[in-house]
Amino acid sequence: MSAALEETPISYEDLADIERDFDDAETEIIRQQVALTAPLYARRTKTVSQIPNFWPLVLEQAPPDIDQYIQPSDSALLLSSLLSFSVDHFEISSKSNITSGDPRSVSIRFDFAPNEYFSDTRLEKKFWYRRSKDGWSGLVSEPVRIQWKKDRDLTGGLLDMVHSAWEVEQASSNGTAKSKTEITPQQKALKKKIENTGMGGLSFFAWFGFIGRKISAEESAEAMEKDRETRKSRKNKLRPESVDSDTAEDPEDDDEDLDLSLEIFPDGDELAIAFTEDLWPSAIKYFTQAQEQDALSDADFESDDEEAPNLDQSSDEESESDFNTRPAKKQRSG
């Protein structure tokens, strides 16, 4: 049986407003949660800093929505050189903006020991929560350049090209999100590189090149204010000011298509959310899983040593059964 809103005094806009109110409530819950858990995270950071390889072991047990992006070469670097990892809700991290900043904006930081791949000791990527004039909302970012050592760039030059194209675009638009009139030489070179490169198995470090939709802070603030006014008008049963039709041709659509074609890590925002909502708060759980896996593997190894003298008397079926029941380390996706 289909629902007929036409026969009721309720509109789809009314339902959308309720959903937005839920979003507002969830945002305030995040704000309060960040404030309440800040001392706990500080205590945890101090404690785990005394545990060797804590964060590499956590990453080794990362859930599939993170692990799928970590290639074997990435894993070798992360497991051998990662010193610490952290997530900061930077827009509300100080008392002056705890009520005005958006708690969904996050900064994700990795600290590294000296290694053979790059000279940076810290890589930090910021994500801002923004809303566009067309109603879209989500995380956007800026590319982060990595100082790769000679012939050690795990992204095959893609990350540097993204950063170069970004710098030229920002310089030409004075840092604002203006509509582009033509593709720059740097963007053209990047587009060709992407088209000629198999993106399957791309390095995790390409994530630092994620940009997303190019929405300025000013545009986002205007869109949020307009949304609040529209919802307030509907609640007061007033007719909101007319807005552009969704079906009208938008000259920025072509810009968005171009931006998408230049994105080397399209799922960058989803990975940021996975780091923020899963790996960061559940780090002790994943570390404990790693310890349990190691304990089971060691116990099984000792058991094999004790049974070694009787291997000649064991049947092939028994050996195969023992192998199949042996706990295995978490396998990485290729």
Side-chain angles (χ1 to χ4, degrees):
M1 184 175 72
S2 61
L5 282 182
E6 294 80 2
E7 300 174 3
T8 74
I10 306 301
S11 67
Y12 285 106
E13 288 78 8
D14 293 327
L15 298 178
D17 286 346
I18 294 174
E19 287 297 301
R20 291 286 178 82
D21 288 341
F22 271 114
D23 288 342
D24 290 344
E26 290 172 1
T27 301
E28 291 311 306
I29 290 173
I30 296 173
R31 191 187 308 279
Q32 295 179 34
Q33 183 183 39
V34 170
L36 289 172
T37 57
L40 298 177
Y41 280 118
R43 176 185 168 194
R44 188 186 71 179
T45 297
K46 182 178 180 181
T47 301
V48 304
S49 66
Q50 304 173 63
I51 302 176
N53 301 318
F54 177 86
W55 287 108
L57 288 171
V58 169
L59 271 179
E60 191 177 40
Q61 295 296 318
D65 52 354
I66 294 176
D67 187 71
Q68 62 178 317
Y69 299 110
I70 300 178
Q71 307 304 323
S73 55
D74 302 326
S75 181
L77 169 56
L78 292 168
L79 294 179
S80 64
S81 304
L82 182 64
L83 297 176
S84 67
F85 169 85
S86 63
V87 174
D88 178 35
H89 298 260
F90 64 92
E91 286 197 16
I92 61 170
S93 57
S94 65
K95 292 183 179 180
S96 61
N97 60 3
I98 192 169
T99 59
S100 59
D102 197 310
R104 292 166 292 190
S105 296
V106 294
S107 174
I108 300 174
R109 189 176 73 190
F110 299 79
D111 289 313
F112 292 91
N115 60 79
E116 61 180 293
Y117 290 92
F118 47 73
S119 58
D120 306 271
T121 57
R122 172 172 295 175
L123 296 178
E124 183 174 8
K125 188 165 178 63
K126 287 187 173 183
F127 292 81
W128 291 266
Y129 190 88
R130 298 272 169 82
R131 181 181 296 279
S132 68
K133 295 176 181 178
D134 62 8
W136 178 91
S137 60
L139 295 176
V140 302
S141 187
E142 297 178 356
V144 176
R145 188 183 291 277
I146 295 178
Q147 303 299 324
W148 298 103
K149 294 182 179 180
K150 186 178 180 181
D151 300 328
R152 285 301 189 179
D153 186 346
L154 294 176
T155 71
L158 276 170
L159 182 56
D160 281 346
M161 295 181 73
V162 168
H163 199 279
S164 296
W166 169 264
E167 288 181 330
V168 170
E169 181 182 352
Q170 293 299 294
S172 63
S173 62
N174 296 319
T176 60
K178 294 182 179 178
S179 178
K180 296 177 285 293
T181 57
E182 61 180 12
I183 187 170
T184 67
Q186 290 78 11
Q187 289 174 329
K188 186 179 295 185
L190 173 60
K191 192 171 187 293
K192 183 177 180 180
K193 175 78 170 177
I194 292 175
E195 291 172 349
N196 294 334
T197 301
M199 303 307 284
L202 185 64
S203 169
F204 155 74
F205 289 92
W207 174 71
F208 287 92
F210 171 79
I211 297 174
R213 295 188 63 169
K214 294 173 182 173
I215 304 170
S216 67
E218 294 75 17
E219 178 187 342
S220 182
E222 291 175 5
M224 289 184 177
E225 179 61 28
K226 186 174 182 179
D227 178 67
R228 282 191 290 267
E229 292 177 355
T230 300
R231 282 192 283 164
K232 183 178 179 181
S233 297
R234 279 200 285 263
K235 287 179 181 179
N236 294 331
K237 304 302 181 183
L238 299 176
R239 189 180 186 85
E241 295 181 6
S242 61
V243 295
D244 295 336
S245 171
D246 291 338
T247 58
E249 184 176 353
D250 189 345
E252 294 185 357
D253 286 347
D254 291 341
D255 292 344
E256 293 174 8
D257 290 340
L258 175 60
D259 292 340
L260 184 59
S261 70
L262 299 176
E263 191 69 71
I264 65 171
F265 207 104
D267 297 334
D269 53 342
E270 295 180 7
L271 182 53
I273 292 172
F275 278 136
T276 303
E277 298 183 356
D278 192 341
L279 193 77
W280 175 241
S282 303
I284 291 178
K285 179 188 76 172
Y286 290 123
F287 175 77
T288 302
Q289 288 178 0
Q291 296 298 296
E292 291 173 348
Q293 288 278 6
D294 286 341
L296 287 172
S297 297
D298 290 343
D300 187 73
F301 181 78
E302 292 174 0
S303 176
D304 286 348
D305 286 345
E306 293 174 358
E307 297 175 1
N310 298 323
L311 283 179
D312 292 340
Q313 302 175 9
S314 301
S315 67
D316 290 340
E317 291 183 358
E318 290 174 338
S319 298
E320 184 177 356
S321 175
D322 288 341
F323 177 82
N324 290 336
T325 58
R326 182 174 302 145
K329 293 287 285 183
K330 178 170 170 286
Q331 297 298 311
R332 297 196 172 279
S333 54

